[in-house]
Amino acid sequence: MLDHPMRTAIQRALFEDLGPGDVTTDATVSPEAEGEASLIAKEDLVLAGLPVFHQVFLELDADIGFEAFFEEGRPVPAGDRVCLLTGRLSTILKGERTALNFIQRMSGIATLTRRYVDRISATGGRILDTRKTAPGLRLFDKYAVRMGGGVNHRFGLSDGVLIKDNHIAAAGSIGKAVALARRESPHTLKVETEVEDLAGVQEALDAGADIILLDNMPVAQIRAAVKLVDGRAMLEASGGVNLDTVKAIAETGVYAVSVGALTHSARAMDLSLEIISA
Amino acid sequence: MLDHPMRTAIQRALFEDLGPGDVTTDATVSPEAEGEASLIAKEDLVLAGLPVFHQVFLELDADIGFEAFFEEGRPVPAGDRVCLLTGRLSTILKGERTALNFIQRMSGIATLTRRYVDRISATGGRILDTRKTAPGLRLFDKYAVRMGGGVNHRFGLSDGVLIKDNHIAAAGSIGKAVALARRESPHTLKVETEVEDLAGVQEALDAGADIILLDNMPVAQIRAAVKLVDGRAMLEASGGVNLDTVKAIAETGVYAVSVGALTHSARAMDLSLEIISA
Amino acid sequence: MLDHPMRTAIQRALFEDLGPGDVTTDATVSPEAEGEASLIAKEDLVLAGLPVFHQVFLELDADIGFEAFFEEGRPVPAGDRVCLLTGRLSTILKGERTALNFIQRMSGIATLTRRYVDRISATGGRILDTRKTAPGLRLFDKYAVRMGGGVNHRFGLSDGVLIKDNHIAAAGSIGKAVALARRESPHTLKVETEVEDLAGVQEALDAGADIILLDNMPVAQIRAAVKLVDGRAMLEASGGVNLDTVKAIAETGVYAVSVGALTHSARAMDLSLEIISA
Amino acid sequence: MLDHPMRTAIQRALFEDLGPGDVTTDATVSPEAEGEASLIAKEDLVLAGLPVFHQVFLELDADIGFEAFFEEGRPVPAGDRVCLLTGRLSTILKGERTALNFIQRMSGIATLTRRYVDRISATGGRILDTRKTAPGLRLFDKYAVRMGGGVNHRFGLSDGVLIKDNHIAAAGSIGKAVALARRESPHTLKVETEVEDLAGVQEALDAGADIILLDNMPVAQIRAAVKLVDGRAMLEASGGVNLDTVKAIAETGVYAVSVGALTHSARAMDLSLEIISA
Amino acid sequence: MLDHPMRTAIQRALFEDLGPGDVTTDATVSPEAEGEASLIAKEDLVLAGLPVFHQVFLELDADIGFEAFFEEGRPVPAGDRVCLLTGRLSTILKGERTALNFIQRMSGIATLTRRYVDRISATGGRILDTRKTAPGLRLFDKYAVRMGGGVNHRFGLSDGVLIKDNHIAAAGSIGKAVALARRESPHTLKVETEVEDLAGVQEALDAGADIILLDNMPVAQIRAAVKLVDGRAMLEASGGVNLDTVKAIAETGVYAVSVGALTHSARAMDLSLEIISA
Amino acid sequence: MLDHPMRTAIQRALFEDLGPGDVTTDATVSPEAEGEASLIAKEDLVLAGLPVFHQVFLELDADIGFEAFFEEGRPVPAGDRVCLLTGRLSTILKGERTALNFIQRMSGIATLTRRYVDRISATGGRILDTRKTAPGLRLFDKYAVRMGGGVNHRFGLSDGVLIKDNHIAAAGSIGKAVALARRESPHTLKVETEVEDLAGVQEALDAGADIILLDNMPVAQIRAAVKLVDGRAMLEASGGVNLDTVKAIAETGVYAVSVGALTHSARAMDLSLEIISA
């Protein structure tokens, strides 16, 4: 069972599409007609969003049948059937687009994440997401990252301290910002700070930062930072990360590499619903 | 002033990020500190979403100042300043990510749309969007398409008749489906039907379809369809459309080409907020 | 199963009435008491709203039993039993007024619509509703019109183009307004324009309007308009339509006659819930 | 300033109509165009709903100008101008139908109420409404009754005790039901019970009912009830009340006559918005 | 089944706590793990809120099992088991705190109420609550008062007339305020007025108040008021009421004593959830 | 300006009280009457909730005047005036109870917190709150704790890892639970675990817990734990904490003492609104 906030977002999306009704289906399909529909992967992908896909139809019709052939987070080869829906044909047609919009986006994020994760599998590093998600869809986007093997960074501004350049400027220095965060922010949260060069790393270390985010630093510098820190803080690298550069960055020994593109620029996967009237 | 449904979506996104509060800013930035922030395009883009960007901050603080240097829908060269915010530094920091998430996505959609539009500018055709939008963000995604020079297709299932293969299967034939839609759907809507080959085009024409959507047909066949129809119906082409193929498709003389990727796979534009404490 | 937006409206109405609780029932009826209730038509009517009536009680109590003796859209003679509810007496008493308010209004609309439809049954015309619905109840009002045999015009401002006198004034002329709408509005929608005289009909025709709404024109003029148009556009008539005039208007051969009174001035039907404690 | 619940209902109604946008106005009217609009009474009416009418436009546009020429609850002669709106023409056109739907319904209720009130003005009685309101619009409907000179009965099931036949059946007798209500319901509420004959009146009196509702009793019997009660309880009459019968009923000396038709069957008043582009 | 407004408040509370997810349980407990949990009273208490406690878990998981060992409103001795939950361990852990927050608060209110009720059991008086409830929790707080044997005063400003000193000042005198309320407020409500001395009692009586609230009057004066009124109005006493003074106040013969502390200052009861992994 | 979630909670509380209207004020106070109201502390207290108090009235009436004489978090002596409201008397009367309910509860929490904070001021320790807040009011309750000088622990289940006995049982041991949390929970959060004895402390330390919560341990044992840990983890103490015991616990040298009573059992402060008609 999906949580209430996810269900609310699903209802919102469904009725954004449905409006006062589906004029085409109401005109051409008998309310009694039954059918079945197979969700087919039209390209290789990592599956994410199947419970959401299912819930879209349940919102319209409690009697819809559902059988899954793959588990969330698993690779699905092009051409394979992901799941089967059975029940009122009109329900299937009315929910189709909304359900596909969710699962295509979510599987797109999972698939892209998996590509990054696979690139660095030999390194012991991990792939982190960011808060660069589609507005209103953060729970879905971050869930999809997990299904792709990625690790979630903060869900929002309240469940992690992350000092950025503007906080540093406001506080006066990295050291002052870290000290303020240590003292004023919840003691259950680690203190993470962004830095731009090795001097920043040293200052963050001296101030006792738990996590240091190396922003837009060249690989050689990242490597030097790893050496300098020597296990006294966790290191993240971000900025300019893509599928070509991620492995070299991860090989420096940083704890994690964060990739905004996972959620702001993943391409939707091609999944299609093949429907047969009963 | 943005409409209520857009404002509601903006509030939802903002508090999805903010949760019980911004622990970092609260710890490191004085509530009295003032600042100004410039929104900078880090790459060439077509601007969409500036009123949304502005509204995010207004939801937090009615006193935030705002000056725009570009109009919606206009190209912005890399490096140029898009707008200036002034006011409480803490407000700017709290709204930053949400505001950027909107404008980066929306400008991404507008920029990609403009590329398609530019490709076919010599043809007299137009670029259409689809219902393949991010769940809950349809108003924003379709607005961005317009800013990119594209044209909106249906907003949902109630403001247009579009007969797809499953409706045809349920009704028995293209002809029967079009006839049912003519009779049963609102007379204020045109009847559009999807077809897959020239026989389908002929059947749709005979049945009196107003718009015929040529789905996944090769260019040569599209050209033949245009000739066959000879102005008796509007023609749309869809399926397999990308920046390489769109021009040839448009040159066939179809009324419009619809592109799902505009809204389901546009890359976010790189825009950055440069903040200076006052 | 009713759609989410209808269910939300039903919950809103139910708790508008119930507030913090039903002080009378709580004081006088045991929570264990069971009962049954027959919904009786106290006058001849066309039934609309039975699924809504049922849902009101389900919102309070999933165990309520329900049996229907008439189908939606069918005539019910005075004195006949429409349906039977069984279950907790307190549930029946708490939901009674809200459930009746829905079905009395909806059956009122359906019954009035049927009277108009019957008047013109010999003519081949049809009865259209308008957007003159009770605020917040449009889905219910327009559903009731359909149950009465009427046809829905637009659900709102986005699913149909209807150019009225003020749009014409703003655009400069009927011809200019129709041309603008053709070019700027969604191509999936027909263009309808209001006109007030035969010159307007001609101008609308010349501009390529798909539908022409003859507003407040005398029957003779309507007849002349039908002749002038000669099938090149659909014609609607509106204004000053009542049960005495509708037949003559429909006999002119217009496609449809629109009647605001269906939804803004229908009298509630007299339906009563006769409850027996078990 | 209208209360939050009324504003929420206004927003709901406005966006029920507006949906994703007004395709006609967006196509034909420049966003910069200014205009003014006069609300004209097309028939004699009692005004109710002007603040609601105004608020509809304010929800869309804070800059809309407004001047009222009549006060709420006052008669407006056919042909007179009720108020003037000035501002963006597109705002006026987008809000027009929703604003009219409110004020036409509310003025319809007020006008009908005033007719009943006028009928019995010589009697010292008063006209009461019921809970037979349009679902979701109770605050608006009951406000309109007050503007027409009527008096509100309960707003819902929690702000008054009203024992009906089914409560009596469940409790065993009028006397037992009144006694239970006295003991179990909030002591701040009076106890009102419905009765159907003089024996019922006597039983209610004996049980100490504060208010006795004479349901569907002939005028002669009502007169006898007034005599029997002799000021020891308030008397209301209901059932079969119309403009022809109300005076005779009120002349019996009952405290009040309740009329369901005020809110469930009032005809909408004809009000029209005459718009002039600036 | 709980009413919709209570369920909405429960969902709100649950997701206020749960946010984007329970990071601890997700990390340490397998989603398949089953368990059972006993709710144990750690001190003597009067039970209130068990259906709310249960519903919190149902919102997360329809399969949760539940068995109650005590009824609402009954005393539970320290150490006894109140109910048993069975099902997914993760569900139990995620709902635990929210469910406890409700039942601890509600049982605290019921237990305190019962102590007041017991103090005055020999007197024939009753204990009333006030509107001094936790914002947003009025339905829950007032329900708990009933479970403790108390009686609810008004639920809000619309279901009872209560004239306070400021209304008196605005109207000019007690007599004028009572007369205005008689004439202008709903006739289904009794008129209650606050007074501060015996002269006020006399004035309220003369004006025909139904209920007189003796505010902050010494016991001797309350006794005199009871004598003066002699059954012609109901009397309530309030102000300075505590467990030491309540009996003497009730013994004066007033109808009821109202106690704000029941809902604004009740201590939470100590209830604990003992969970065993299956 | 208060955040949107707080404003939403304020609106909910206000209209929970107001319902369809304030029947007393509407009957006895002219809508034109102006007044002023002084908020008076009737006992010594620490102020919290003044912006919330103010906002309640602003929701009803944008024209209400407001002047504060004390700042949030400051002590107010009995008898002093906290703030002054000016404007429509009816607005002041309608918002009074809701505004007082907020500020009395919030100042109660702040005042109790300050008493705990003062008790341990010599120790270097700090007072923490818990998640034992009133359902739906967590933001308000935790804000009030801060105003009293306390420090917030987690806002919910997602912004901190806190391993409790049931998580330990599910995982198998303290060590296993901490290791799982380390590996599976967000790396931006510290890992906190509850322990019950010194062996538990050692096991938590060995497993690398960042924070150790000593639950219900005697002071001597807490002192031993502090010695054992010797700065290698943060220590919190909880259980059985009251104003008599808190100092001894804090003197052991733990980092913080958490007190559930701050939010679940604080007595409301006595604040009163003295209103003068203008």
Side-chain angles (χ1 to χ4, degrees), chain C residues 9 12-13 16-30 33 89 93-98 101-102 104-105 131-139 154-164 166-171 176-178 180-181 184-186 189 192 264-269 273-277, chain D residues 9 12-13 16-30 33 89 93-98 101-102 104-105 131-139 154-164 166-171 176-178 180-181 184-186 189 192 264-269 273-277:
Chain C
R12 196 155 46 224
E16 176 188 61
D17 193 40
L18 200 47
D22 178 349
V23 293
T24 311
T25 299
D26 289 350
T28 60
V29 178
S30 155
L89 187 55
L93 289 166
K94 287 175 185 186
E96 177 182 9
R97 184 72 263 143
T98 301
N101 283 349
F102 272 111
Q104 289 176 329
R105 175 177 177 84
R131 286 162 45 241
K132 297 174 182 175
T133 55
L137 295 175
R138 187 162 290 166
L139 288 178
R154 300 195 289 181
F155 271 79
L157 293 164
S158 61
D159 61 335
V161 175
L162 177 41
I163 298 167
K164 300 208 165 187
N166 295 300
H167 301 105
I168 293 167
K176 284 179 185 166
V178 171
L180 276 169
E184 300 292 335
S185 75
L189 303 176
E192 175 169 5
H264 71 52
S265 294
R267 182 173 66 75
M269 287 298 101
L273 200 59
E274 304 194 347
I275 308 178
I276 305 169
S277 307
Chain D
R12 196 156 44 226
E16 175 188 61
D17 194 39
L18 200 47
D22 178 349
V23 292
T24 311
T25 300
D26 289 350
T28 60
V29 178
S30 155
L89 187 55
L93 289 166
K94 288 174 184 186
E96 176 184 10
R97 184 72 263 144
T98 300
N101 284 349
F102 272 110
Q104 288 176 331
R105 175 177 178 84
R131 287 161 45 241
K132 298 174 183 175
T133 53
L137 295 175
R138 188 161 291 166
L139 288 177
R154 300 193 289 181
F155 272 78
L157 292 165
S158 61
D159 63 335
V161 174
L162 178 40
I163 298 167
K164 301 209 165 187
N166 295 300
H167 301 105
I168 292 168
K176 285 180 185 165
V178 171
L180 276 170
E184 301 292 336
S185 76
L189 302 177
E192 175 168 6
H264 70 54
S265 295
R267 183 171 66 74
M269 288 297 101
L273 199 60
E274 304 194 347
I275 308 177
I276 305 168
S277 306

Side-chain angles (χ1 to χ4, degrees), chain C residues 5-255:
Chain C
M6 279 186 142
R7 283 200 54 190
T8 301
I10 290 169
Q11 291 174 345
R12 196 155 46 224
L14 185 53
F15 294 99
E16 176 188 61
D17 193 40
L18 200 47
D22 178 349
V23 293
T24 311
T25 299
D26 289 350
T28 60
V29 178
S30 155
E32 280 81 36
E34 299 275 319
E36 59 178 53
S38 296
L39 179 66
I40 308 293
K42 312 290 281 189
E43 62 182 315
D44 292 351
L45 55 83
V46 173
L47 183 64
L50 201 51
V52 175
F53 179 88
H54 182 193
Q55 185 64 37
V56 169
F57 298 98
L58 287 178
E59 293 293 337
L60 290 171
D61 185 345
D63 298 332
I64 213 75
F66 177 79
E67 190 181 359
F69 305 114
F70 284 88
E71 285 181 16
E72 291 282 280
R74 296 299 167 86
V76 180
D80 270 28
R81 183 160 71 156
V82 175
C83 71
L84 177 70
L85 292 170
T86 51
R88 277 189 204 85
L89 187 55
S90 59
T91 300
I92 295 173
L93 289 166
K94 287 175 185 186
E96 177 182 9
R97 184 72 263 143
T98 301
L100 286 172
N101 283 349
F102 272 111
I103 202 168
Q104 289 176 329
R105 175 177 177 84
M106 292 173 77
S107 294
I109 292 172
T111 303
L112 181 57
T113 303
R114 183 65 51 89
R115 292 183 68 195
Y116 276 92
V117 169
D118 287 348
R119 274 312 146 94
I120 69 163
S121 59
T123 67
R126 64 213 68 196
I127 297 298
L128 288 179
D129 60 17
T130 65
R131 286 162 45 241
K132 297 174 182 175
T133 55
L137 295 175
R138 187 162 290 166
L139 288 178
F140 299 88
D141 286 6
K142 290 204 163 232
Y143 165 89
V145 167
R146 290 197 301 277
M147 291 305 105
V151 173
N152 296 326
H153 203 278
R154 300 195 289 181
F155 271 79
L157 293 164
S158 61
D159 61 335
V161 175
L162 177 41
I163 298 167
K164 300 208 165 187
D165 50 357
N166 295 300
H167 301 105
I168 293 167
S173 71
I174 293 173
K176 284 179 185 166
V178 171
L180 276 169
R182 264 271 158 275
R183 201 178 72 219
E184 300 292 335
S185 75
H187 68 286
T188 56
L189 303 176
K190 290 190 188 150
V191 172
E192 175 169 5
T193 186
E194 203 175 279
V195 303
E196 287 170 357
D197 52 28
L198 287 175
V201 173
Q202 185 64 54
E203 189 176 351
L205 262 187
D206 293 346
D210 300 299
I211 312 175
I212 301 173
L213 173 57
L214 310 171
D215 191 37
N216 270 311
M217 280 168 51
V219 168
Q221 243 185 309
I222 297 176
R223 201 174 298 119
V226 172
K227 199 166 168 195
L228 173 60
V229 168
D230 194 22
R232 287 172 295 167
M234 295 172 111
L235 286 175
E236 292 175 22
S238 75
V241 184
N242 58 45
L243 284 166
D244 294 331
T245 60
V246 68
K247 191 175 173 200
I249 297 172
E251 285 173 343
T252 60
V254 289
Y255 175 80

Side-chain angles (χ1 to χ4, degrees), chain E residues 12-13 16-18 20-25 27-29 89 93-94 97 101-102 105 131-138 154 156-158 160-163 166-167 170 177 180-181 184 186 189 264-265 267-268 275 277, chain F residues 12-13 16-18 20-25 27-29 89 93-94 97 101-102 105 131-138 154 156-158 160-163 166-167 170 177 180-181 184 186 189 264-265 267-268 275 277:
Chain E
R12 197 155 45 224
E16 176 188 62
D17 193 39
L18 200 46
D22 178 349
V23 293
T24 312
T25 299
T28 61
V29 177
L89 186 55
L93 289 166
K94 287 175 184 185
R97 184 72 263 145
N101 284 349
F102 271 111
R105 174 177 178 84
R131 285 162 46 241
K132 297 173 183 177
T133 54
L137 295 175
R138 187 162 291 166
R154 300 194 289 180
L157 292 165
S158 61
V161 173
L162 177 41
I163 299 166
N166 294 300
H167 301 106
L180 276 170
E184 301 292 336
L189 303 176
H264 71 52
S265 294
R267 182 172 65 76
I275 308 178
S277 307
Chain F
R12 197 154 44 224
E16 175 188 61
D17 194 40
L18 200 47
D22 178 349
V23 293
T24 312
T25 299
T28 60
V29 178
L89 186 56
L93 289 166
K94 288 174 184 186
R97 184 72 263 146
N101 284 348
F102 271 111
R105 174 177 178 85
R131 286 162 45 241
K132 298 175 182 174
T133 53
L137 295 175
R138 187 161 289 167
R154 300 193 288 181
L157 292 165
S158 62
V161 174
L162 178 40
I163 298 166
N166 295 299
H167 301 105
L180 277 170
E184 301 292 335
L189 303 176
H264 71 52
S265 295
R267 183 172 65 74
I275 308 177
S277 307

Side-chain angles (χ1 to χ4, degrees), chain A residues 48-115:
Chain A
L50 201 52
V52 176
F53 179 87
H54 182 193
Q55 185 64 37
V56 169
F57 298 99
L58 288 178
E59 293 293 337
L60 289 171
D61 186 346
D63 297 332
I64 212 77
F66 177 78
E67 189 181 359
F69 306 113
F70 284 88
E71 284 181 17
E72 291 281 281
R74 296 300 166 87
V76 180
D80 270 28
R81 183 161 71 157
V82 175
C83 71
L84 177 70
L85 292 170
T86 51
R88 277 188 205 86
L89 186 56
S90 59
T91 300
I92 295 173
L93 289 167
K94 287 175 184 185
E96 177 182 9
R97 183 72 262 144
T98 301
L100 286 172
N101 284 349
F102 272 111
I103 202 168
Q104 289 176 331
R105 175 177 177 85
M106 293 173 77
S107 294
I109 291 173
T111 303
L112 182 58
T113 302
R114 184 64 53 86
R115 292 183 68 194

Side-chain angles (χ1 to χ4, degrees), chain E residues 232-255:
Chain E
R232 286 173 295 168
M234 296 172 110
L235 286 176
E236 292 175 21
S238 76
V241 184
N242 57 45
L243 283 166
D244 295 330
T245 61
V246 69
K247 192 176 172 198
I249 297 171
E251 284 173 344
T252 59
V254 289
Y255 174 80

